[in-house]
Amino acid sequence: MSDHDQSLWLNTGKEHVASSLLTSDLAVDLAVIGGGYTGCSAALTATQSGASVALLEAQEIGHGGSGRNVGFANAGLWLPPDKIRAFLGEAAGDRLIDLLGAAPGDVFDLIQQHGIDCSPVRNGTLHCAHSPAGLKDLKNRHAQLSATGAPIELLSADETRQRTGSAAFHGAVFDPRAGTIQPLDYVRGLARAAVEAGAQVFTQSPVQSLSRDGDVWVLTTAEGTVRAKALIQATNAYHRGLPGTAPAYVPVYYFQFATVPLSDNLRASILHQGEGAWDTGLIMTSFRLDHEGRFIIGAMGDLGHAGSGAHRAWIRRKMAELYPQLSDQPLTQGWHGRIAMTSDHIPKITQIGPNALAAHGFSGRGIGPGTVFGRQMAKSLLRNDPGLLPVPAVAEYSESWTGLRRAYFETGAALTHLIKARF
């Protein structure tokens, strides 16, 4: 019940992309490894720019985090602006803040331009304060984001209750730039648009080896070879093989459950304006409705872990705590995904070789940042202009104690859910 085949997005998807197994040898301007938001955005951008493109995906388009996402097309990162500037510096920080502030607009523009059937609802998102301390943090974020020109609103507890339909929160920040989508359909739609523009997309074609032959990259699969002038690796938390270019990150798991479609009366009492919402808890909770009125609730945790029982027991209690009227609603589907988390929560671009870039570490904010990073990486390589990158590329990036930190996060989530499921 925990794997991708139980995902609501997989079972309700409408978008399809024409792909095939790589069974020949070909030469292209740009090779892309990975069929998620970053890779598909890069392939679409490069093809529209006139480049020949081959995208290779080890499974199917959106199999990784892109197809298991919550579906919030948010602006920015988890970090408030001051912390982004502290890590990147003033100029680079402001550039990233501006690019990602505009990311939801980029996403919804692509959806409209290419007719992507992904149930887009651009009615904003709500970051909800679960405690007085959470409200204090939101007030700080509101002040910093407002100073950048972001059109956000700080809502009172009563205003938050009216918007969410829940009395569980002390306030919220409303961001009208953002919205919700069916995340798997969005990435499939990007891939379809890339194919329609002329890209070649190969699925079930994991890259087994990566090497240089003069000025050309050589990517070898079980049955074919791609020779490319430039390369983008966009495997993020679902990297497979190729140990020399494996991204360094802390794996964090996030699970979701969905109800059956709710009655009209119940739907009208929950997020009646169609926002996506999440809270300020250390073990964060997200909640939203899909286009058919299913209530979808998620939190940090691995449904394949020994603590999955605690996650399952907690989810029902949490749902009833937020919305008592849902206490008897069955949860019909549950799935989880893996997130690539960096220590500073800022995505990384690494220069893995000549004319070759890799991106990872979106830390749970894949839709907007992935779309932007893929686009800008493709432009940078094709124009030979590093200044187009959303963050400066580094020669290498490492993380310490990733296994222990993964265990720490999962154990903490399981214990938190175990305790809260009982009391």
Side-chain angles (χ1 to χ4, degrees):
M1 188 174 181
S2 65
D3 209 350
H4 189 41
D5 59 359
Q6 292 297 321
S7 163
L8 171 67
W9 313 132
L10 186 66
N11 294 327
T12 62
K14 298 176 181 178
E15 278 283 350
H16 299 282
V17 55
S19 65
S20 60
L21 183 73
L22 178 65
T23 57
S24 62
D25 300 330
L26 65 150
V28 294
D29 296 319
L30 175 68
V32 179
I33 305 174
Y37 302 127
T38 308
C40 291
S41 176
L44 175 58
T45 299
T47 307
Q48 289 181 322
S49 299
S52 56
V53 177
L55 184 150
L56 295 95
E57 162 58 42
Q59 299 286 337
E60 298 296 332
I61 297 299
H63 174 82
S66 297
R68 306 163 194 251
N69 198 282
V70 175
F72 293 170
N74 271 315
L77 299 173
W78 294 119
L79 296 175
D82 284 359
K83 287 193 175 180
I84 295 174
R85 295 187 187 100
F87 285 119
L88 293 178
E90 197 79 16
D94 283 341
R95 171 173 167 73
L96 184 62
I97 291 165
D98 290 344
L99 278 170
L100 298 188
D106 297 334
V107 169
F108 286 100
D109 284 348
L110 286 168
I111 291 169
Q112 183 176 24
Q113 290 168 15
H114 300 288
I116 299 176
D117 192 359
C118 63
S119 307
V121 178
R122 197 177 185 185
N123 285 351
T125 53
L126 294 161
H127 192 181
C128 302
H130 79 296
S131 68
L135 181 58
K136 182 178 179 180
D137 177 63
L138 287 186
K139 288 180 177 178
N140 176 54
R141 289 172 180 266
H142 175 263
Q144 291 189 36
L145 287 166
S146 295
T148 69
I152 59 173
E153 297 178 51
L154 183 64
L155 306 181
S156 67
D158 186 57
E159 290 170 324
T160 303
R161 180 189 60 77
Q162 292 178 34
R163 296 293 286 267
T164 62
S166 174
F169 303 111
H170 296 256
V173 167
F174 171 65
D175 190 338
R177 300 171 294 178
T180 62
I181 59 174
Q182 210 277 29
L184 179 57
D185 274 336
Y186 172 60
V187 70
R188 284 176 169 174
L190 289 178
R192 171 182 57 77
V195 169
E196 290 172 351
Q200 298 180 76
V201 173
F202 301 98
T203 54
Q204 299 297 325
S205 301
V207 178
Q208 297 180 340
S209 67
L210 180 62
S211 61
R212 291 281 288 173
D213 181 9
D215 294 333
V216 175
W217 287 97
V218 181
L219 296 77
T220 303
T221 69
E223 299 184 50
T225 301
V226 174
R227 297 172 64 85
K229 299 173 184 176
L231 170 70
I232 289 176
Q233 178 177 288
T235 51
N236 203 31
Y238 285 81
H239 187 80
R240 179 171 170 176
L242 300 178
T245 60
Y249 63 91
V250 178
V252 175
Y253 288 75
Y254 198 88
F255 70 89
Q256 298 177 76
F257 279 90
T259 68
V260 296
L262 304 178
S263 67
D264 290 343
N265 287 341
L266 286 177
R267 290 176 70 168
S269 69
I270 298 167
L271 296 167
H272 63 91
Q273 295 187 44
E275 306 96 334
W278 73 99
D279 68 19
T280 54
L282 181 62
I283 306 299
M284 186 192 82
T285 304
S286 64
F287 52 103
R288 60 166 292 189
L289 296 172
D290 77 346
H291 70 290
E292 294 183 346
R294 299 176 182 86
F295 183 72
I296 305 162
I297 183 169
M300 187 183 297
D302 180 356
L303 295 183
H305 186 266
S308 63
H311 300 320
R312 296 170 190 275
W314 168 84
I315 205 80
R316 291 216 59 88
R317 182 180 177 89
K318 185 67 177 181
M319 185 168 72
E321 175 188 312
L322 293 175
Y323 298 104
Q325 66 270 39
L326 297 184
S327 59
D328 62 348
Q329 291 296 311
L331 293 165
T332 60
Q333 296 177 88
W335 68 99
H336 69 245
R338 188 164 60 247
I339 294 169
M341 188 82 71
T342 59
S343 297
D344 57 13
H345 304 302
I346 293 178
K348 309 301 176 189
I349 294 178
T350 51
Q351 186 88 43
I352 57 176
N355 300 320
L357 299 170
H360 79 283
F362 297 109
S363 299
R365 281 278 177 110
I367 294 175
T371 300
V372 169
F373 271 60
R375 180 191 72 208
Q376 296 303 118
M377 290 165 68
K379 288 183 177 180
S380 174
L381 286 172
L382 294 178
R383 299 179 189 178
N384 193 26
D385 184 357
L388 293 173
L389 295 175
V391 294
V394 296
E396 58 182 356
Y397 178 77
S398 63
E399 289 274 354
S400 302
W401 307 103
T402 55
L404 286 176
R405 289 160 66 198
R406 180 259 191 271
Y408 169 80
F409 283 125
E410 180 57 39
T411 301
L415 288 175
T416 297
H417 291 161
L418 178 65
I419 294 168
K420 291 186 175 181
R422 292 182 174 180
F423 299 101

